[in-house]
């Protein structure tokens, strides 16, 4: 397989696990990061040490010109065959009546607009309507879209609700053009995102409330994502796979 996969936010957490597993499955991986260059380069080195091909590109999904640059650089690796819209942010716990426009704009620009713009770049390259050879897109949702995250970050939950609707609509829009579009909704997963929202103890606190009585790993989320990208999922589109230990 010589297809190229773009993974946004591939330097850490779930995106890192996706990048490593996809490379093992033969994808050439173009992974983006926004600030943690050392971590991104470490993922590239790990992939190369395993005989794979990878490239790390600094690209903020909240900046359209940087998204365009990311896909231009991915073109240098070969034909685009997949996109994982993984980059996403949370914010500090707050009630809706405490949220500012600045906070909401950052949340929606990064989590929603960024995913739309990355998908647009991918569809322009992969759609048979545009002369492409088809491909697959996987969007990162969250069980928060269903739970609403009251008192935590309703804005984040709503951004993931938008991702679910985006997945449904885009999947049908490009279904006859060789592109499958699916989403994965993780529950509580062991990554640094919780500390970035000011709650480093969130997993310890909430882990026991999960029906399976534990939090998940990034690798447990990467596995269904890489499956959805693969030909084994050739008749699967417009679906949401929940990976939450029953939560
Ligand atoms: P994470 O550990 O915080 O890693 C975030 C990744 O995204 C990093 O590679 C980071 O790059 C990158 N990133 C952040 N802002 C970016 C931006 N503006 N442009 C480009 N890249 C950006 O996050 P995670 O927990 O793996 O989460 C990945 C996805 O899964 C997110 O969409 C998240 O909402 C979703 N999710 C996570 C959980 C969970 O419990 N962990 C649950 C449900 C859904 P740097 O390294 O350069 O900072």
């Amino acid at each position: 397989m010589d297809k190229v996969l773009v993974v946004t936010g591939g330097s850490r957490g779930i995106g890192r696990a996706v990048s490593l597993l996809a490379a093992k499955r033969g994808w050439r991986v173009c992974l983006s990061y926004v600030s943690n260059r050392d971590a991104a380069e470490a993922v590239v080195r790990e992939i190369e040490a395993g005989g794979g091909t990878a490239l790390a590109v600094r690209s903020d999904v909240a900046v359209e010109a940087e998204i365009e640059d990311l896909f231009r650089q991915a073109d240098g690796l070969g034909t685009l065959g997949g996109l994982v819209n993984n980059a996403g942010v949370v914010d500090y716990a707050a009630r809706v009546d405490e949220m500012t426009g600045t906070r909401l704009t950052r949340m929606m620009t990064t989590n929603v607009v960024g995913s739309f713009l990355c998908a647009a770049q991918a569809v322009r390259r992969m759609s048979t309507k545009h002369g492409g050879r088809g491909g697959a897109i996987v969007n990162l949702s969250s069980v928060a879209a269903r739970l609403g995250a009251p008192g935590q970050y309703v804005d984040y939950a709503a951004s993931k609700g938008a991702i679910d609707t985006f997945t449904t609509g885009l999947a049908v829009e490009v279904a006859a053009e060789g592109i499958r579009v699916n989403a994965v909704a993780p529950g509580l997963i062991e990554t640094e995102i919780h500390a970035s929202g000011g709650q480093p103890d969130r997993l310890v606190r909430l882990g026991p409330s999960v029906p399976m009585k534990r939090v998940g790993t990034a690798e447990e989320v990467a596995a269904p994502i890489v499956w959805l990208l693969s030909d084994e999922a050739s008749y699967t589109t417009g679906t949401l796979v929940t990976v939450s230990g029953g939560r």
Side-chain angles (χ1 to χ4, degrees), residues 9 11-12 14 34-36 60-61 86 156 160 187 189 191 194:
S11 48
R12 293 182 289 117
I14 293 167
V34 69
S35 58
N36 204 331
D60 187 340
V61 292
N86 168 78
Y156 171 78
K160 295 302 185 179
I189 308 301
T191 72
H194 311 285

Side-chain angles (χ1 to χ4, degrees), residues 1-4 78-82 122-136 177-180 231:
M1 201 226 298
D2 60 350
K3 282 192 187 163
V4 175
T79 304
L80 188 73
V123 169
R124 282 174 209 151
R125 286 164 173 78
M126 301 191 306
S127 167
T128 53
K129 188 180 166 210
H130 298 301
R133 291 198 248 154
E177 299 171 20
I179 303 176
R180 296 179 298 101
D231 288 342

